[in-house]
Amino acid sequence: MSKQKKQKLVTPEIFHQAVIGSFTKLNPRYMMKNPVMFVVEIGFFITLVLSFFPNLFGDVGSNLRAYNIIVSVILFVTVLFANFAESVAEGRGKAQAASLKKTQKETSARLLCEDGTEKTVLSNELKKGDVVMVSAGEIIPGDGEVIEGIASVDESAITGESAPVVRESGGDFCSVTGGTTVVSDWLKIRITSEPGNSFLDRMIALVEGASRKKTPNEIALNTLLVSLTIIFMIVIVTLYPIGVYSGVQLQISTLIALAVCLIPTTIGGLLSAIGIAGMDRVTRFNVIAMSGKAVEACGDVDTMILDKTGTITFGNRLAADFIPVGGADRRDLLRCAALTSLQDTTPEGKSTLELARKLGDTSGEIPGSTFQEFTAQTRMSGIDLPDGTKIRKGAAEAIEQYVKELGGKIPADLHEQVDRISGLGGTPLSVCEGNRILGVIYLKDTVKPGMVERFNRLRAIGIKTIMCTGDNPLTAATIAKEAGVDGFIAECKPEDKIDVIKKEQAEGKIVAMTGDGTNDAPALAQANVGLAMNSGTTAAKEAANMVDLDSDPTKILEVVEIGKQLLITRGSLTTFSIANDIAKYFAIIPAMFMMAIPQLGVLNIMHLATPYSAILSALIFNALIIPSLIPLAMKGVKYRPMSSGKILARNMLIYGVGGVITPFIGIKLIDMIISPILNAMGMSFMGL
């Protein structure tokens, strides 16, 4: 699997663009999309007006103009920092989009006309349905499907993987992407996309965030933040008459400062950045998410549907054991199996030789020997030695027939071993030397290393895994037990995948699945999270809401963890933001009322210097905490597989308690810094 690409959090280019974006996003029409920060911006405009007309609302107090100016500046900086956080996240996406755009070269295409002649046109002139020829060294001009030919294609410009892949007509490996290069041979390709709507075009638009929409969870959180904001606004409005009744003249700018400090500005300023960063994070794993909703849905997955072949297993039947029959010596079986595999380049042949070597066989090629390749007619392969000895390996029935023709006998225990291996879901290959059968090679579809641990990891966070396979129930049960999945569907057809997805969804569960073939397209479309392989068909990629550029089906396990990390990050920062309000409450409320109600001084547990410095310290801390948390919002809270209850308890302990303690320390330090400055300005005991 591709490793996550390392990137700097903020490059000079991203920083420059983020600074510009911080100011352009001040447009009220844009700010209205973020209600919490829109309230802060309104507060800034009101205090800005009060900076020029300090007595507009009947406020009284010395140095009132200077106080309003300071509050205005802090509020303005608070909004800028929130915009900066979002702009940094967008800048990361745009930087990746710029790298993708470099692969969009304006190339010539060899268009095949109806009369069979070729016509050279520009790639942007190609239409859906056109047929083009691409030879070695040429760039594929657009997305399409191979209708004739077979060739190696370099997809490194798209996937980052240097090894070429084979593309051919028919099957699930006929899809090609515009901008990739044919390395060898030639391909006849039918274009499947209109100009400007290729897979690469869509990737660029998605990475830039143009198609990003708020997810249901994000909408729900926004609703919560708006509700909290409205509640605090009502509380603050009622404070004014309470202050008048208590003999305290509260300045409008002070009430605005209190509102900004108590509403959840921290998470409000970082919410968009967290969502954009989630899409950016999967992109760095070479997965293109069609929407933020797809990434977030990964975090809520309850059931995962996985194909067996190529996902859980290697897909090739590899040698697992050598079983002698008829009293044959195991060393003779190893020797003959190795000799027949010396020039066998199939996965079965290579694994047979490798296993024989591990078990101690050292047989080498004998000069003068002739290798006999496997054919569909003989169903066996082997080697003819210089002394006339013929050694063969192949299907059990074919070897039996071959030995009988040479006058040999069939060992009594051969059928027993062949049936046992078949019953386990394996493939038995018999080996004979001359007219004597020596034993059986046990071939099995091997489970990939680490799969048991991966499924245990998913089980720990409450995700059920279901394996789909076309194998018989006995073979499916054997592989399922070895891999450690929670369930399996044997002799599975496309309709069966859709049925199991619908059944799980009917129970209120979120379902994810992987696929690469046209027959997987309906199930990929039905699943909440459909991860299609870039090597798969166009139908599969269009049906899914995620595309893995590396075509690694097991990557869905990492994608799920990224989704979990996105939700945990949002929850952690929300907890931290709300917990912040407790400390700000103890900083501002006593400062506002203890002049008229000295008994409230007991709440001034931070022992802040003056009421004025207390309010400004809380306001400055509120502004500074947003950029301080940008790295955490972008990188994400570290994810550890555990139950939802444990995750909640951990968040409450770290981000809840931390969210209470941090402001106490931060506000106190800021107060110690600014109080001497305020004393020098003669603003220590200004009426509030």
Side-chain angles (χ1 to χ4, degrees):
M1 193 197 82
S2 301
K3 293 181 179 179
Q4 183 178 0
K5 300 174 183 177
K6 301 292 183 182
Q7 286 188 346
K8 289 184 178 180
L9 177 64
V10 181
T11 64
E13 294 79 11
I14 292 176
F15 181 83
H16 177 71
Q17 292 299 323
V19 171
I20 296 174
S22 300
F23 287 91
T24 57
K25 292 178 184 292
L26 290 173
N27 187 326
R29 287 182 295 181
Y30 183 88
M31 292 297 298
M32 288 178 67
K33 298 177 183 178
N34 189 338
V36 176
M37 298 313 300
F38 183 56
V39 169
V40 180
E41 186 174 47
I42 292 175
F44 157 69
F45 283 120
I46 294 174
T47 54
L48 182 64
V49 171
L50 291 174
S51 298
F52 294 99
F53 308 101
N55 305 118
L56 183 63
F57 296 108
D59 291 344
V60 293
S62 60
N63 294 318
L64 191 58
R65 187 186 302 275
Y67 174 50
N68 290 340
I69 291 174
I70 294 174
V71 172
S72 297
V73 170
I74 297 174
L75 294 182
F76 182 67
V77 171
T78 302
V79 177
L80 283 183
F81 282 161
N83 290 344
F84 180 79
E86 184 175 349
S87 297
V88 167
E90 290 177 350
R92 287 281 291 273
K94 289 177 180 178
Q96 290 181 338
S99 67
L100 287 173
K101 286 177 180 177
K102 292 178 182 178
T103 66
Q104 285 191 309
K105 301 173 183 176
E106 189 58 59
T107 59
S108 297
R110 293 155 54 196
L111 176 65
L112 292 181
C113 302
E114 293 183 0
D115 58 4
T117 59
E118 287 188 8
K119 177 184 177 183
T120 301
V121 299
L122 293 177
S123 58
N124 60 8
E125 296 176 5
L126 293 174
K127 302 184 296 296
K128 186 175 182 179
D130 286 344
V131 177
V132 297
M133 283 290 297
V134 187
S135 300
E138 296 179 343
I139 296 174
I140 296 174
D143 294 354
E145 291 185 347
V146 179
I147 57 176
E148 189 177 333
I150 179 171
S152 295
V153 178
D154 178 5
E155 297 185 339
S156 58
I158 305 295
T159 67
E161 298 293 336
S162 58
V165 294
V166 176
R167 292 288 178 261
E168 58 185 322
S169 60
D172 292 340
F173 296 93
C174 63
S175 178
V176 292
T177 304
T180 56
T181 305
V182 174
V183 178
S184 66
D185 302 290
W186 57 271
L187 296 173
K188 184 185 287 187
I189 301 167
R190 177 180 290 112
I191 301 298
T192 57
S193 64
E194 297 290 351
N197 194 36
S198 68
F199 178 65
L200 190 57
D201 289 318
R202 294 197 301 274
M203 280 200 301
I204 291 170
L206 290 166
V207 171
E208 287 180 327
S211 299
R212 183 180 179 273
K213 297 179 181 178
K214 291 186 183 295
T215 64
N217 278 343
E218 197 171 350
I219 292 172
L221 182 54
N222 246 325
T223 303
L224 172 64
L225 298 183
V226 171
S227 300
L228 289 175
T229 300
I230 293 173
I231 291 171
F232 279 121
M233 293 300 292
I234 294 173
V235 169
I236 289 162
V237 168
T238 58
L239 274 180
Y240 189 83
I242 292 175
V244 173
Y245 178 78
S246 303
V248 179
Q249 179 66 41
L250 296 174
Q251 310 291 353
I252 297 299
S253 50
T254 298
L255 291 174
I256 292 173
L258 176 63
V260 170
C261 286
L262 294 187
I263 64 176
T265 51
T266 304
I267 186 62
L270 295 171
L271 190 58
S272 294
I274 295 170
I276 295 171
M279 293 181 68
D280 170 71
R281 210 169 293 131
V282 295
T283 303
R284 282 181 278 145
F285 274 90
N286 255 9
V287 174
I288 298 297
M290 302 305 181
S291 68
K293 183 177 180 180
V295 180
E296 191 168 285
C298 290
D300 289 325
V301 167
D302 300 297
T303 304
M304 189 178 296
I305 312 293
L306 304 109
D307 282 327
K308 184 204 77 172
T309 305
T311 303
I312 296 174
T313 66
F314 284 106
N316 297 315
R317 295 180 181 269
L318 309 178
D321 199 6
F322 297 99
I323 305 165
V325 296
D329 191 315
R330 193 165 191 257
R331 288 173 296 181
D332 289 336
L333 174 59
L334 289 173
R335 174 179 57 82
C336 291
L339 287 172
T340 61
S341 303
L342 288 172
Q343 297 186 36
D344 187 348
T345 58
T346 64
E348 295 85 354
K350 290 179 180 178
S351 67
T352 297
L353 182 60
E354 182 181 350
L355 182 59
R357 295 286 189 248
K358 286 182 180 179
L359 295 176
D361 180 77
T362 57
S363 303
E365 188 169 349
I366 302 172
S369 300
T370 305
F371 180 71
Q372 303 296 322
E373 293 187 1
F374 176 87
T375 65
Q377 290 73 31
T378 62
R379 298 173 64 204
M380 66 177 75
S381 62
I383 189 170
D384 294 343
L385 302 181
D387 62 3
T389 303
K390 299 179 184 295
I391 304 174
R392 298 289 185 269
K393 71 175 179 187
E397 301 87 349
I399 294 295
E400 283 186 36
Q401 184 64 32
Y402 176 78
V403 168
K404 286 178 181 178
E405 291 175 357
L406 295 177
K409 294 184 178 180
I410 307 302
D413 56 344
L414 176 63
H415 288 166
E416 177 186 344
Q417 295 298 340
V418 168
D419 292 342
R420 183 179 69 83
I421 293 172
S422 298
L424 291 173
T427 300
L429 290 183
S430 296
V431 179
C432 69
E433 184 176 25
N435 65 356
R436 183 190 177 200
I437 296 179
L438 300 177
V440 181
I441 304 172
Y442 175 19
L443 299 178
K444 60 176 291 190
D445 195 356
T446 308
V447 173
K448 292 181 178 180
M451 293 306 294
V452 174
E453 291 76 12
R454 285 175 173 237
F455 291 137
N456 285 339
R457 204 166 72 202
L458 290 171
R459 195 173 295 111
I461 56 178
I463 296 178
K464 179 172 69 173
T465 52
I466 299 176
M467 179 186 77
C468 293
T469 176
D471 291 335
N472 62 66
L474 186 57
T475 300
T478 302
I479 296 294
K481 182 178 180 181
E482 187 176 345
V485 295
D486 298 312
F488 65 89
I489 303 173
E491 299 174 344
C492 183
K493 300 184 291 295
E495 297 81 4
D496 298 327
K497 294 179 183 178
I498 295 178
D499 289 342
V500 71
I501 291 173
K502 288 182 176 179
K503 180 181 177 183
E504 294 289 321
Q505 289 174 332
E507 296 174 3
K509 297 179 180 178
I510 304 297
V511 183
M513 81 157 289
T514 62
D516 58 2
T518 301
N519 62 339
D520 292 323
L524 286 168
Q526 179 66 38
N528 301 91
V529 179
L531 180 64
M533 303 299 102
N534 190 41
S535 62
T537 62
T538 301
K541 288 189 283 189
E542 290 182 348
N545 51 20
M546 285 187 172
V547 177
D548 177 19
L549 301 180
D550 297 326
S551 300
D552 178 4
T554 64
K555 198 184 289 184
I556 193 170
L557 306 179
E558 276 71 25
V559 171
V560 165
E561 291 190 349
I562 292 173
K564 292 283 186 186
Q565 186 184 39
L566 172 63
L567 295 179
I568 291 171
T569 301
R570 188 177 293 158
S572 299
L573 292 181
T574 301
T575 302
F576 184 88
S577 177
I578 295 175
N580 267 214
D581 293 341
I582 297 175
K584 296 171 191 172
Y585 171 86
F586 280 100
I588 296 182
I589 297 298
M592 293 173 64
F593 289 97
M594 67 183 182
M595 300 276 299
I597 310 175
Q599 292 84 351
L600 286 178
V602 72
L603 296 178
N604 186 21
I605 58 179
M606 284 185 273
H607 301 292
L608 302 178
T610 67
Y612 188 60
S613 68
I615 292 173
L616 290 182
S617 296
L619 202 58
I620 292 171
F621 174 85
N622 190 69
L624 294 179
I625 197 65
I626 295 176
S628 301
L629 291 174
I630 290 177
L632 182 61
M634 296 293 295
K635 186 179 179 181
V637 175
K638 187 174 182 181
Y639 169 72
R640 294 181 177 87
M642 61 180 71
S643 65
S644 299
K646 290 183 178 179
I647 290 175
L648 177 61
R650 181 174 177 272
N651 279 354
M652 291 300 294
L653 178 63
I654 297 175
Y655 295 96
V657 175
V660 173
I661 295 175
T662 303
F664 275 95
I665 298 173
I667 292 172
K668 179 61 178 177
L669 290 175
I670 295 171
D671 181 75
M672 292 171 64
I673 294 171
I674 70 170
S675 57
I677 300 174
L678 298 179
N679 284 333
M681 295 174 63
M683 299 171 64
S684 304
F685 301 101
M686 188 189 76
L688 297 175

